[in-house]
Amino acid sequence: MSTPITSDPAMPDPTIRTCTAFRGESRIAAGPLAEVALAVKAALAADPEAALLVFDDATCRVVVFDLRGTAEEIAARLAPPAPASSAERGRGRPKLGVVAREVTLLPRHWDWLAAQPGGASQALRRLVEEARRNDGERGRARRAQEAAYAFIAAMAGDRAGFEEASRALFAGDAAGFSAHSRSWPADIRAHAESLAADALRNG
């Protein structure tokens, strides 16, 4: 069901904000990366053979820590990057956080964008904001489904009710998800329900 987290030199994605660690079927830590990393280091010090898994709270991808060195060194490696200074950001519009990246479109798309009020950049921003608003609830539900499924596949994939709970999750059936996960260990069930909340809100 789970594998040990070792002192792997790989570093977590710097965009990860919080994560949750499990030892077997028990949740042992949750919160910012540095706090969870230190809890994982302590758990491995107490039991080097402990089976640990750490999950990114947003996506439930498995997080692997570099646990070498002191607590201060570990915390320093996992500290959020400092915001760029105005000199580092260079010229532009720093208050808006504008980022320049390449966009590939067909000529007719560029022609249409160029004819819009404010030009191509403003038109693209308006289109993206409108799409984000329209996506809203559907996007949150989809992300919750994906994160919850990744978690239960890792932690409950071999448990009774997994297939039925998975179908209930993607159907938005809160009662069905709860019923089919009832026999799972309490910490696994509670974390799965928390992750699935946006997907099951209307179930």
Side-chain angles (χ1 to χ4, degrees):
M1 178 177 65
S2 57
T3 56
I5 296 292
T6 62
S7 301
D8 193 300
M11 290 294 290
D13 183 335
T15 64
I16 297 173
R17 295 179 181 272
T18 61
C19 58
T20 300
F22 279 78
R23 179 173 53 209
E25 61 190 36
S26 299
R27 182 168 51 192
I28 62 167
L33 291 177
E35 292 181 15
V36 175
L38 294 178
V40 168
K41 185 178 178 71
L44 286 172
D47 179 6
E49 301 302 318
L52 301 173
L53 278 177
V54 182
F55 298 94
D56 172 4
D57 286 339
T59 65
C60 273
R61 293 189 179 94
V62 173
V63 177
V64 179
F65 292 121
D66 179 350
L67 299 177
R68 297 171 298 177
T70 66
E72 291 75 16
E73 290 169 336
I74 293 170
R77 284 196 296 268
L78 295 172
S85 67
S86 57
E88 291 170 328
R89 285 193 296 264
R91 303 177 67 180
R93 300 168 66 184
K95 290 185 178 179
L96 293 178
V98 174
V99 177
R101 292 180 181 170
E102 181 179 346
V103 175
T104 303
L105 300 173
L106 294 173
R108 65 176 182 274
H109 299 147
W110 285 117
D111 291 343
W112 183 87
L113 285 169
Q116 302 308 302
S121 293
Q122 286 191 27
L124 283 170
R125 285 196 288 270
R126 287 195 299 271
L127 290 170
V128 170
E129 290 301 325
E130 181 179 351
R132 289 182 62 193
R133 285 193 296 271
N134 292 339
D135 184 56
E137 195 71 28
R138 293 192 301 273
R140 285 192 296 273
R142 183 178 63 253
R143 289 188 292 272
Q145 287 172 338
E146 292 170 354
Y149 181 77
F151 175 72
I152 65 174
M155 298 297 290
D158 58 353
R159 295 186 180 277
F162 168 74
E163 295 293 343
E164 295 83 357
S166 298
R167 286 194 289 270
L169 170 65
F170 287 100
D173 178 3
F177 186 81
S178 178
H180 293 300
S181 63
R182 188 169 293 126
S183 65
W184 299 353
D187 284 355
I188 293 176
R189 185 176 69 252
H191 194 59
E193 289 177 346
S194 175
L195 292 167
D198 282 338
L200 303 175
R201 194 178 304 282
N202 298 318

